[in-house]
Amino acid sequence: VVVEKGDRHEAPVRIRSRFADEQLPGRPRAVDQQTSRAAVADLPGFSHRAERCARQQQHVFQQLMHPLRTGDHVLDRPLAEIGGKGLFTKEIETALLEGVIDLAVHSYKDMPTELPDGLIIAACLPRADPRDALISAAASTIEGLPEGAVVGTASLRRAAQTLALRPDLRVVPLRGAVGTRLRKLAEGEVAATFLAMAGLDRLGVTDAPLSPVDPAVMLPAVAQGVIAVEARASDDRVLTLLGRIDHPPTSTCAAAERAFLAMLDGSCRT
């Protein structure tokens, strides 16, 4: 999600209220009466909520747009082969650096370990469920999957931990939006896949055969479940605004996890 240049105090607060169940007491909602434009990522279950927000707040939002992210459109190869997590943020961060937009909202786990010079994470929303979910009609646990079952995932982390626990399973690449993965599962292309619990909760997915995976069985990704807001380090006005919605315990925890990942030189390839 990105919000375009202009005065837009409403947007990050509205995003907070849509993404996070926990409300931060004592933090006022700042509303600027000037009109702005917002661009939203083309995510199932999110776009319609952003559009509803825009209709309700026409004095704040002038237009909604859907930014192109290369990582969402090249689905026939593993992410590590086409540039890693930076493909999900490159176009948006370029617009941020060029002043086309003033802030960008990301799933923190999908961000590269190092940010471009001049950009910082200005706020994090309260962390949602950090666990992975096993999606399978065949079993509710990795241990219970049939021998030799095909598991679809493009995540090296999930694949490595799955095979460490069940080396008999066959892991194949599976990328795409949540709906695409669930459809391929339903069509029998794979017997199981993994998705983040936080994303499923935010999208309101309740009809899939999902089972949360204990972190002792599958360690979640760094900063999984965290929504992060990125801004220019020099933009004091936006940084002051975003300070009102920051959740310090989440920001501190995510920063510690990412520092650990940086020391290990962690990426989609390692």
Side-chain angles (χ1 to χ4, degrees):
V1 159
V2 293
V3 176
E4 283 210 347
K5 192 171 184 179
D7 290 326
R8 58 211 35 82
H9 285 193
E10 179 67 359
V13 180
R14 296 297 294 183
I15 291 168
R16 182 198 70 180
S17 67
R18 299 300 181 186
F19 273 116
D21 293 330
E22 178 183 343
Q23 298 299 313
L24 304 183
R27 298 197 177 189
R29 195 172 56 140
V31 180
D32 196 305
Q33 297 301 314
Q34 298 189 39
T35 301
S36 67
R37 292 181 297 171
V40 299
D42 191 12
L43 299 174
F46 178 81
S47 294
H48 76 277
R49 285 179 287 178
E51 289 162 359
R52 184 170 68 245
C53 172
R55 289 193 299 270
Q56 294 170 350
Q57 304 291 336
Q58 292 182 14
H59 62 287
V60 176
F61 293 101
Q62 179 186 36
Q63 179 182 354
L64 289 174
M65 300 185 304
H66 300 266
L68 173 66
R69 302 186 307 178
T70 304
D72 288 329
H73 295 270
V74 182
L75 303 177
D76 58 346
R77 286 171 285 165
L79 193 60
E81 293 182 5
I82 57 174
K85 291 184 177 181
L87 288 177
F88 289 108
T89 60
K90 181 179 179 181
E91 292 92 344
I92 292 174
E93 288 180 329
T94 297
L96 192 55
L97 287 167
E98 292 177 350
V100 177
I101 61 173
D102 290 326
L103 59 89
V105 182
H106 304 277
S107 174
Y108 212 173
K109 75 177 181 65
D110 292 330
M111 298 192 71
T113 309
E114 295 185 6
L115 301 182
D117 290 341
L119 299 182
I120 63 171
I121 297 302
C124 289
L125 306 188
R127 192 172 203 162
D129 191 335
R131 296 175 295 176
D132 287 305
L134 173 69
I135 318 293
S136 178
S140 60
T141 64
I142 299 173
E143 296 93 330
L145 288 170
E147 184 175 356
V150 178
V151 178
T153 179
S155 166
L156 181 61
R157 172 186 62 85
R158 288 169 174 157
Q161 293 186 89
T162 297
L163 292 174
L165 186 65
R166 288 286 307 277
D168 62 291
L169 299 177
R170 185 162 68 91
V171 176
V172 299
L174 181 66
R175 294 189 55 228
V178 170
T180 300
R181 299 188 210 185
L182 294 179
R183 175 179 55 79
K184 291 182 177 181
L185 178 70
E187 293 173 351
E189 189 171 320
V190 296
T193 188
F194 296 99
L195 291 165
M197 278 297 300
L200 294 169
D201 289 343
R202 291 182 183 119
L203 293 173
V205 176
T206 59
D207 56 351
L210 65 88
S211 303
V213 183
D214 190 320
V217 174
M218 178 170 286
L219 189 67
V222 161
Q224 186 157 304
V226 178
I227 295 296
V229 189
E230 187 178 25
R232 291 182 293 275
S234 60
D235 195 336
D236 292 338
R237 176 179 172 279
V238 170
L239 297 182
T240 298
L241 165 66
L242 293 176
R244 301 183 185 184
I245 64 168
D246 182 47
H247 187 244
T250 297
S251 291
T252 300
C253 186
E257 292 177 18
R258 284 173 60 83
F260 174 76
L261 187 65
M263 288 297 295
L264 294 179
D265 192 25
S267 70
C268 290
R269 298 182 176 87
T270 59

